[in-house]
Structures are given as C-alpha cells and as structure tokens.
Amino acid sequence: MENVCVKMEDIAKQANVSKSAVSLALNGKPGISEDTRERVIRIAQESGYIAKRRAAPAQERPLSSLLFLVCANSGIVLEQYYQQPFFRELIHYIEERCRSKGYSLQFATLNTESLEQNVKSLSEDNRNSGVILLGTNLGRQQIVSIAEHLPQIVVLDTNFETLPIPFVEINNVMGAYQAGSYLYEIGHREIGYVASNVRIHNFNSRQRGFMSALEDRELAIPDNRIFSVAPTILYSQESMREQLQHYLQENGRLPTALFCECDYIAISAMKTLNELGFRVPEDVSVIGFDNITESMVVTPELTTIHVEKEKMAQVAVDMLIELIHEGLNTTTKTTIDTKFIERLSCRAPINHSK
C-alpha cells in the first residue's frame, strides 16, 4: 500500500505550531521549547513523515558538522540563551559561516552544575568533532576540563591568556575606553558606572577599559557612583531604583551620565530612570555595550559599543576548520576591535559650556 505523502505543513497544523518551528524541531536546532520539540517529533513519527533531501552539487554538500557547545547557568548565559539578543545574533553568523564553508552546525547545551560528568558523556560521541565553545560565562578550570575531553576546540567570547587553547574575543577594553573618552569629551564629569552583579571576563575587562579612559584624563568614579544590577533584564529593576533613589537622597542629584556594562543593563537603566521621572538624555545620558538589535528599538535610541559579531563568528569557524585539517602546532588568540555608535541617548550635560 502506498504511503500518504505527509508534509511539514501537515505536522505544523497537528502540533499547532509554525512551519519554521517544525523545521527547528526536526533539525535539532534551538529556538523552541523541549515540549514543542518532543511533540513535533512524535507527530512526525506517527504520521510517517519522511524528510525530503535535495541532492546538492558535490562542492556544496556538507563535509561534516561542527558543534556549538554552550554551558548554561542562571547567571549570564541562560538555558534559553538562543533567545538572548547577543547570542541569537552570534549564532546566526556562525551558522552562515559554517554553511558557506560546507559544514552544518549542531548544538549541545550542558548544565554547569554537573559539567564534568556531562562533558565526558558528550565527548564519547563528539571527541573527534570540531567544537566552538561559548566561553562567555566560563572560568579557567571549566574551559580546561572541556578542552581535555574535546581537544578540537575554539573558545568564543572570552580569553585566558595562559591557556594553550585558541580563543576569539571582543576587545572589551577598547570598547569601554571609547565610551569613557566620549563622555568626558562632551563634558561629563559626574559619571556613574552600572555594573553587572554577575562577574565575567568581559565585564571585568570593560570596567578596566572605562576606568582607564577616565584615569588618563585625571578623573575617577567614587564608590558611591558604582551601581550593581542583574545583567539579563530588559525592564526596570527594583534594585536599580533603590540604588538611584539612595544616591539622590545622599547627593541631591543623579550623575549626569551612566555607562552600563551591556545593552541589557542600559535599557533597564533607561526604563528605571523614566519611572523615577528623569529624562534620557536631557537629565542623564546613558551608554550601553554590544549593539544588540533592541538598542535601536528603544526610545531614545541607545548610544552603544558595536561588537563585530559577524567577524567573531567568521574567525572562530575558520580557525576551527584550520585546526581540524592541519592540527594544532601553535595556538592563537584573536581579539576583535569594537566600534563606537553614537545615537540619541547621550548629550552634553546642561551646565556644560565649551
């Protein structure tokens, strides 16, 4: 008896999801919940769905796959990391570069709480696979442990100079230095610093770069102008509100400008300031870091530091492919420079005269 031809559209209707969600589920890609993935796969199996495979020219067929490995926690890289704007954009560029080089990209997520055990299990199937490890939230020893089990690895978005492992990172120091220089040059002297309450390599480097820019101009930020908030919240934060109100009570006015360690924090700060009755940039200027898509959606548009996510992705993929084909004679560490983006969330302080 001839099988009924089942299409992705049919599965989408039965599962009450979009066709793109069906594609993500069947191809093992992030972007949907595990419940949705399991439901789609079950319906596909029950209906006898057979994926159509188009024969591509030999030179276009994937030679093999690369693995994008993420260690999720409750700090900066969440379990739904692929929905976070910075990582979503980065993954997009990594997939594009893999495709252009004839590779497919697979995904794996590990929990940091049981990292050693999970890495051992993962390495049984992937020891000879090329791995791009998202290192944003990882410490030195965690990266060492992963690299021991998965030797063909390039670590993205962090750097430990003393490890003989390839790294590709943002020039965080340069970007924050650009921000500090800009605020000083347009006249700000009472500057505040809004730090993440989760500390990682990137944020520590940004703090170093920003403070260095001010030190070079003989300006320092007192401790009471350094605030600390959650780094992954796009709405106003009660803790931010309390810290700003306390500063206002103690000093009579807010800092004229705030540098925030990432765009998430900057957008949250802008919304908190608005709730307190302060205007951005008329009362307080705000600068972020990362240039995520949301930085152009908020009002006013956010002045920020552009991270070359596409370049980072290209370098990481190319470095890994070279490692796979030629072996590892000498490790290299690549730092990608940033670009300052001036938008509408900053202006000279009202009392400043050139």
Side-chain angles (χ1 to χ4, degrees), residues 202-273:
N202 287 348
F203 293 155
N204 291 336
S205 297
R206 291 172 194 181
Q207 187 170 36
R208 181 158 52 91
F210 190 81
M211 298 306 182
S212 178
L214 300 186
E215 288 170 5
D216 287 349
R217 293 161 175 82
E218 299 183 349
L219 186 67
I221 297 180
D223 290 343
N224 69 337
R225 271 198 245 133
I226 299 177
F227 310 101
S228 178
V229 298
T232 56
I233 296 176
L234 279 171
Y235 47 85
S236 64
Q237 298 188 47
E238 181 63 30
S239 63
M240 180 74 173
R241 186 184 301 109
E242 291 174 355
Q243 290 175 71
L244 291 177
Q245 287 176 325
H246 177 75
Y247 182 89
L248 189 60
Q249 292 170 359
E250 294 290 320
N251 299 275
R253 60 182 181 181
L254 292 180
T256 62
L258 296 174
F259 171 73
C260 303
E261 287 186 329
C262 67
D263 285 350
Y264 261 84
I265 293 175
I267 293 171
S268 178
M270 289 169 63
K271 292 181 178 181
T272 304
L273 286 166

Side-chain angles (χ1 to χ4, degrees), residues 98-143:
C98 285
R99 193 177 302 115
S100 72
K101 293 292 183 176
Y103 285 78
S104 62
L105 186 65
Q106 303 298 318
F107 297 84
T109 304
L110 303 180
N111 192 301
T112 55
E113 293 182 0
S114 51
L115 185 60
E116 185 69 23
Q117 180 180 349
N118 290 336
V119 170
K120 287 181 180 179
S121 299
L122 183 68
S123 67
E124 293 176 2
D125 297 324
N126 296 276
R127 184 168 181 82
N128 295 321
S129 299
V131 177
I132 296 176
L133 172 65
L134 184 65
T136 309
N137 59 328
L138 299 180
R140 187 181 191 278
Q141 190 53 50
Q142 290 173 313
I143 293 173

Side-chain angles (χ1 to χ4, degrees), residues 31-147:
I32 56 175
S33 69
E34 284 307 310
D35 288 343
T36 299
R37 188 185 309 279
E38 291 174 5
R39 185 168 75 255
V40 168
I41 292 174
R42 175 177 52 79
I43 292 173
Q45 291 173 340
E46 292 175 351
S47 61
Y49 172 77
I50 301 175
K52 293 182 179 179
R53 298 184 181 275
R54 294 181 299 172
Q59 66 271 20
E60 294 181 3
R61 292 175 188 163
L63 302 174
S64 60
S65 63
L66 303 180
L67 179 67
F68 185 73
L69 177 59
V70 177
C71 300
N73 59 19
S74 59
I76 190 72
V77 181
L78 309 179
E79 288 188 9
Q80 306 293 321
Y81 68 91
Y82 41 81
Q83 295 179 0
Q84 294 177 252
F86 179 88
F87 301 124
R88 183 179 65 232
E89 294 173 34
L90 191 60
I91 290 169
H92 167 72
Y93 290 123
I94 292 173
E95 285 189 301
E96 278 195 341
R97 191 61 171 182
C98 285
R99 193 177 302 115
S100 72
K101 293 292 183 176
Y103 285 78
S104 62
L105 186 65
Q106 303 298 318
F107 297 84
T109 304
L110 303 180
N111 192 301
T112 55
E113 293 182 0
S114 51
L115 185 60
E116 185 69 23
Q117 180 180 349
N118 290 336
V119 170
K120 287 181 180 179
S121 299
L122 183 68
S123 67
E124 293 176 2
D125 297 324
N126 296 276
R127 184 168 181 82
N128 295 321
S129 299
V131 177
I132 296 176
L133 172 65
L134 184 65
T136 309
N137 59 328
L138 299 180
R140 187 181 191 278
Q141 190 53 50
Q142 290 173 313
I143 293 173
V144 169
S145 298
I146 295 171

